[in-house]
Amino acid sequence: MRDATVIAGMALVTFLPRVVPLLILTGMKMPKAAGRWLSLIAPAILSSLLLPELLIVRSAAGDELSLSNIHLFAAIPSFAVAWKTKSLFGTVAAGIAATAFLRFLGLE
Amino acid sequence: MTPSRVFRGVKMAAPIMLGYAPIGAAYGLLAQQAGLSVWFALCLSLFVYAGAAQFMAVSLLSNGAGIAVIIGTTFVVNFRHVLMSAALSPFMRLWKKWQLAFFGGMITDESFAIHSRNFTLNGADPQEAIALNIAAYLTWAASGMAGFHMGALIDRPEAWGFDFALPAMFIGLLLPACRTAPAAIAALTGGIASVTLHLTGAGDWAAFIGAITGATAACLRQDP
């Protein structure tokens, strides 16, 4: 019973934020300014999700800023490949290869 | 159903699948080690389908947290999807309601990142987009089960570098998304705000507040 309640509750509070805006906004005429703001959400949220992956490490004391971690180093060739080739697959392959190589060298 | 469109969607999901497989397996292993039942672990993947919230739920459950805390934290951690759902909506005006609900229920950070690029370039095709979501969803659920049953057999999965598949995908999608000056400002401001929030202990809200800060800053700068 407790398990079912946890699952149903988590499912509901996750489902609603995913679906309600789509159902409401697709039927509405949107002011121009709101449309422009929404078009800027994509770059803003991509970078809000990415930067902590590169600059934050978790420790017992909480989240800490780190300028020398394996993800930040692996990001450099990934950015270079993304910039040069514009290939998503190439960027992902470069990122994985760089991370594996740095771990092979003994970095963490 | 048009096989070529479905196939295109699955193909676009490939980098997500590559990234979800090891994280899903790690989730399954953690759930097994925390003593959760296989059904509970699977139901979280099938009905919640949100990586960060699932990891958090496993750790809260094994620490004996109450139901309200678990559900409340899930709400906070997953509230960022409101912005993704809203940001995709202008492309989806011709979709049927059930398609919107079915698609929306499977929005994740990663599927949003791909859809947002693809909708801008090619428009929003329901079959393609839903096929992408289902491919990612099934990968997540299946890898969770694989990790639950066989995770302990894999020695140091991170040695292969797959933990960087999703950050690399975000790099590959962020650069083309920053082609205009306002977009670049939104990304820079949003990213800095998000990192700052993590450092001040508000990491659960970081993506949501970071994205709002970035988009608003870029709009204000555009027309002061």
Side-chain angles (χ1 to χ4, degrees):
Chain A
M1 192 55 215
R2 179 188 145 91
D3 285 4
T5 313
V6 170
I7 290 166
M10 286 180 69
L12 186 72
V13 299
T14 305
F15 182 77
L16 292 179
R18 280 173 168 165
V19 170
V20 169
L22 267 181
L23 290 178
I24 293 176
L25 294 176
T26 45
M28 263 172 51
K29 204 178 167 317
M30 202 178 288
K32 229 176 161 184
R36 205 175 53 203
W37 189 80
L38 277 183
S39 75
L40 292 165
I41 283 292
I45 206 161
L46 289 184
S47 128
S48 294
L49 291 165
L50 172 66
L51 274 197
E53 293 283 336
L54 307 182
L55 295 174
I56 301 282
V57 289
R58 269 160 213 275
S59 72
D63 290 355
E64 280 174 15
L65 189 67
S66 157
L67 295 177
S68 64
N69 68 81
I70 196 163
H71 281 182
L72 185 58
F73 297 144
I76 297 166
S78 309
F79 268 110
V81 171
W83 187 270
K84 277 283 171 204
T85 67
K86 297 182 173 57
S87 153
L88 185 59
F89 181 79
T91 306
V92 172
I96 291 174
T99 308
F101 180 66
L102 292 169
R103 286 237 169 80
F104 175 73
L105 294 182
L107 277 106
E108 273 314 319
Chain B
M1 212 170 80
T2 323
S4 64
R5 294 187 190 172
V6 171
F7 181 69
R8 251 198 344 250
V10 175
K11 215 174 119 191
M12 278 194 293
I16 302 180
M17 294 160 81
L18 199 61
Y20 278 5
I23 303 175
Y27 159 73
L29 177 62
L30 189 72
Q32 187 257 329
Q33 288 170 342
L36 300 188
S37 77
V38 67
W39 288 108
F40 188 85
L42 179 62
C43 282
L44 280 187
S45 289
L46 293 178
F47 297 117
V48 182
Y49 182 44
Q54 288 178 232
F55 274 101
M56 173 224 81
V58 170
S59 94
L60 284 177
L61 279 167
S62 56
N63 291 328
I67 293 178
V69 171
I70 297 173
I71 296 174
T73 315
T74 303
F75 179 71
V76 170
V77 169
N78 286 338
F79 196 67
R80 65 188 189 283
H81 294 122
V82 154
L83 295 173
M84 305 182 196
S85 178
L88 293 177
S89 68
F91 300 98
M92 302 168 76
R93 295 188 179 281
L94 300 175
W95 286 42
K96 298 184 179 71
K97 291 281 179 210
W98 73 265
Q99 290 175 321
L100 291 172
F102 192 61
F103 170 91
M106 289 183 281
I107 293 179
T108 63
D109 298 344
E110 294 76 22
S111 70
F112 166 78
I114 302 264
H115 289 309
S116 130
R117 171 111 183 107
N118 185 47
F119 288 1
T120 313
L121 292 176
N122 307 314
D125 176 72
Q127 292 192 28
E128 183 184 273
I130 290 173
L132 186 158
N133 281 5
I134 292 177
Y137 175 79
L138 292 179
T139 306
W140 177 253
S143 60
M145 283 303 90
F148 194 97
H149 291 293
M150 300 177 299
L153 299 178
I154 310 165
D155 185 42
R156 275 177 49 86
E158 72 277 8
W160 300 93
F162 288 111
D163 55 310
F164 199 64
L166 295 177
M169 187 184 92
F170 278 97
I171 290 172
L173 293 164
L174 178 63
L175 275 191
C178 290
R179 202 150 296 152
T180 67
I185 291 164
L188 198 64
T189 319
I192 292 171
S194 170
V195 168
T196 310
L197 286 161
H198 272 280
L199 294 176
T200 52
D204 287 347
W205 286 103
F208 178 73
I209 297 177
I212 288 184
T213 309
T216 307
C219 275
L220 290 178
R221 196 175 173 281
Q222 229 172 350
D223 43 10

